[in-house]
Amino acid sequence: MIKNPMHDPNPTLPPVLQIGEFPSVAYALLKERLDLFTLADIAADDALRQRIGAIVTRSNYDIDTALLERLPSLRIIATNGVGFDRIPLAFARERGIAVTNTPDLLNAAVAELTIGLMLALLRKLPHADRFVRSGAWRQGAFPLGSSLAGKRVGIVGMGRIGREIARRLASFDVELAYFGRTQQALPFQWFAQPVELARWSDLLIVSCPGGDATRHLIDAAVLAALGSAGMLVNIARGSVVDEQALVLALENGTLAGAALDVFEHEPAPESALLRFENVVLSPHMGSATHETRMAMAQLTIDNLASFFSAGKALTPV
Ligand code: NAP
């Protein structure tokens, strides 16, 4: 833990460059404990730019190599989030720059949102809310939804978050299976290919990392295998799903619906996705609870404090 009861920025830490916006409570905590500067600050002060020793960022922002080249004292990039697909990891490693993330403490929040999105999709909850508010209920009954009980749910990426989703889903009386590159010691069926898992599944949840290795892992073939009664839930990264193929499948009725927290283009998703009634959308908010974002900000601070005081980050990537 950072040791500064006076709530002044820790004097043992170098100046820290903040990339992107943080929720106000998390920002207040970071600001209290770190000597934070913006890109505008370093553009205006060359001596400051040269002294920046750390970056704090979030999963939603790109860190480019050109920026890292301009920071000669940079030793660590600490992201508030578990995904690090927008950080040039190989470049950072080559330069001896440490990278940290905030794994595990967001598992519950992301798993809860995933369950919420599934239920919203199956029971048409956004549509139902509009139905009551608009008075359309007076004209007739709301269309029937689908039950989660009895469904086959496939999970693409049975990692920390995937396993927490599975644990919660157990109480919904579903059958579970998963795809990942390696079979794990789990009581669920493992499929070696996403297309095979999709063929087996009624609902397919995507919870693997983003980045080049998983780009368009969920492509037209996987969506076709999921089939016209199948539904897709993506809480991973927009890059994992081929959105053009998804729009086509929804247009042609070869997929029954989708719930998406992440998009290929954030914060302005593919406009075609916005017009489907059978698509539930949320603004990349898997970890966006007060409790989780505060814990993530605290771990980010603790990572920097530990790295600069003991030479070792708590949760390095
Ligand atoms: P994790 O513990 O590393 O789990 C990732 C899983 O994906 C592992 O089971 C891994 O299994 C599988 N995987 C990795 N690379 C793969 C590949 N190339 N092809 C197929 N499967 C692959 O990560 P986590 O903490 O659960 O987080 C997962 C992801 O969720 C993050 O990387 C992030 O992108 C996303 N996320 C989203 C939100 C949100 O707000 N929506 C919030 C937090 C995280 P194998 O190694 O066996 O393949």
Side-chain angles (χ1 to χ4, degrees):
M1 290 283 289
I2 200 159
K3 36 182 183 334
N4 196 334
M6 302 307 288
H7 294 177
D8 285 335
N10 188 326
T12 64
L13 296 181
V16 177
L17 177 64
Q18 172 201 344
I19 300 292
E21 302 274 315
F22 289 79
S24 55
V25 285
Y27 176 73
L29 181 64
L30 292 168
K31 185 82 185 150
E32 185 183 85
R33 304 300 175 89
L34 306 173
D35 222 355
L36 276 189
F37 297 93
T38 64
L39 284 168
D41 293 332
I42 64 162
D45 182 342
D46 211 49
L48 172 65
R49 171 182 67 79
Q50 299 198 34
R51 288 194 301 118
I52 291 290
I55 287 177
V56 291
T57 184
R58 290 178 49 207
S59 314
N60 319 45
Y61 299 96
D62 285 321
I63 304 285
D64 59 32
T65 52
L67 172 66
L68 304 188
E69 303 261 29
R70 292 176 54 234
L71 303 173
S73 304
L74 184 70
R75 294 185 57 206
I76 181 167
I77 303 169
T79 183
N80 275 244
V82 67
F84 45 85
D85 44 304
R86 299 177 84 160
I87 297 173
L89 199 58
F91 183 89
R93 293 226 195 288
E94 212 174 88
R95 296 288 164 102
I97 299 166
V99 176
T100 63
N101 64 350
T102 60
D104 283 320
L105 40 77
L106 43 61
N107 295 351
V110 182
E112 286 170 5
L113 181 77
T114 308
I115 304 287
L117 285 173
M118 291 176 78
L119 294 173
L121 179 61
L122 288 162
R123 302 301 298 270
K124 311 176 197 288
L125 291 181
H127 187 189
D129 180 90
R130 291 196 297 276
F131 190 79
V132 177
R133 284 175 201 273
S134 69
W137 196 6
R138 287 189 220 103
Q139 271 82 59
F142 189 68
L144 298 181
S146 304
S147 297
L148 179 52
K151 293 283 189 302
R152 286 176 159 186
V153 182
I155 298 183
V156 174
M158 189 62 106
R160 289 171 293 235
I161 293 171
R163 285 193 294 273
E164 286 304 306
I165 295 169
R167 199 163 67 82
R168 283 161 177 76
L169 279 174
S171 61
F172 284 93
D173 294 330
V174 296
E175 248 188 284
L176 285 163
Y178 69 102
F179 157 76
R181 293 162 303 178
T182 44
Q183 183 168 13
Q184 305 182 43
L186 292 169
F188 313 122
Q189 190 174 353
W190 172 70
F191 288 89
Q193 295 299 331
V195 75
E196 291 165 11
L197 176 66
R199 197 166 293 122
W200 175 91
S201 302
D202 298 310
L203 284 128
L204 192 67
I205 298 175
V206 189
S207 56
C208 62
D212 291 344
T214 56
R215 185 173 160 71
H216 290 186
L217 186 68
I218 308 302
D219 58 8
V222 173
L223 296 172
L226 193 50
S228 57
M231 293 180 173
L232 179 76
V233 180
N234 185 14
I235 58 86
R237 284 287 182 267
S239 60
V240 184
V241 174
D242 180 345
E243 273 184 10
Q244 297 301 327
L246 175 61
V247 168
L248 261 181
L250 290 162
E251 243 159 30
N252 297 336
T254 54
L255 189 73
L260 310 168
D261 184 49
V262 285
F263 304 89
E264 287 200 278
H265 304 288
E266 297 177 7
E270 172 69 55
S271 57
L273 285 171
L274 311 184
R275 63 171 195 260
F276 298 106
E277 274 291 348
N278 53 347
V279 172
V280 176
L281 306 162
S282 58
H284 196 154
M285 59 179 211
S287 65
T289 69
H290 280 282
E291 299 85 346
T292 306
R293 287 289 171 84
M294 288 303 278
M296 289 161 68
Q298 185 61 55
L299 179 54
T300 300
I301 293 164
D302 293 345
N303 262 318
L304 294 184
S306 175
F307 179 79
F308 283 106
S309 64
K312 202 172 178 319
L314 304 177
T315 50
V317 165

